[in-house]
Amino acid sequence: MSDLPSHRLDSRMLRVWYVSDVIGIAVVAVLAVVAWAIVRHLGGDVFWVYLVAGAIELVCVGDLLISPRVEMATWRYDVTPTDVDLYHGVFVKKRVIVPLVRVQHVQTKQGPILRANGLATVTISTAGESFEIPGLAEADAAALRDRVAELARLAKEDV
């Protein structure tokens, strides 16, 4: 296998993943309280609500402690004149090479958490699926989007 791609995500992406995970943990906690209230109102045994909610929260906290750092250490990408090379994963490492001649469109997007951290995601779409490069500085994401679009246009002219 060839060398891994050399470009990494912006370090602020780690904070975005932490914030997203904390929001997920809070949502699970709220759902657990609602489930507890419903079971208690119906006269059921709330022990099972505690057990299930506790197990789900433990998994979520474990994910919060492990996944963001591993994902940040793993995520890499490169753009060459012929393809986009992506490498990422926490437990399963995934390497994808997207030929630029197959690219149909490229876009940048931001949710509220990315926007608050000055980051954006670049999405590269082919006829079959889409590939994302998350956590790039806004200016870097715009430049990468434009570069991939131009290289895809040139690759299609050469065919």
Side-chain angles (χ1 to χ4, degrees):
M1 182 181 279
S2 63
D3 293 335
L4 293 177
S6 60
H7 293 88
R8 296 194 176 256
L9 304 182
D10 190 291
S11 61
R12 293 173 288 180
M13 190 59 189
L14 189 59
R15 180 177 26 210
V16 168
W17 281 325
Y18 281 135
V19 169
S20 296
D21 283 356
V22 167
I23 290 170
I25 289 170
V27 167
V28 169
V30 167
L31 292 174
V33 169
V34 169
W36 173 83
I38 291 170
V39 169
R40 187 163 185 245
H41 178 72
L42 296 174
D45 187 6
V46 293
F47 169 78
W48 295 106
V49 175
Y50 291 134
L51 185 67
V52 171
I56 292 171
E57 287 291 345
L58 281 175
V59 169
C60 290
V61 169
D63 181 60
L64 171 74
L65 296 174
I66 296 170
S67 294
R69 288 214 176 267
V70 174
E71 192 74 36
M72 180 58 84
T74 305
W75 238 112
R76 298 167 182 250
Y77 69 94
D78 270 333
V79 177
T80 70
T82 58
D83 54 50
V84 177
D85 189 358
L86 308 172
Y87 179 77
H88 61 95
V90 175
F91 297 108
V92 176
K93 306 298 186 214
K94 184 175 182 181
R95 181 133 189 215
V96 179
I97 298 176
V98 182
L100 286 168
V101 71
R102 301 279 185 220
V103 172
Q104 291 189 337
H105 70 275
V106 186
Q107 66 181 12
T108 53
K109 65 181 180 178
Q110 287 180 305
I113 301 171
L114 285 172
R115 190 175 311 112
N117 285 281
L119 300 174
T121 296
V122 175
T123 304
I124 302 164
S125 298
T126 65
E129 60 187 304
S130 294
F131 305 92
E132 289 188 346
I133 303 172
L136 301 177
E138 291 178 45
D140 294 342
L144 183 65
R145 177 199 60 218
D146 296 344
R147 181 170 176 231
V148 169
E150 179 63 18
L151 289 172
R153 185 186 63 76
L154 292 172
K156 288 178 183 168
E157 286 178 0
D158 289 343
V159 173

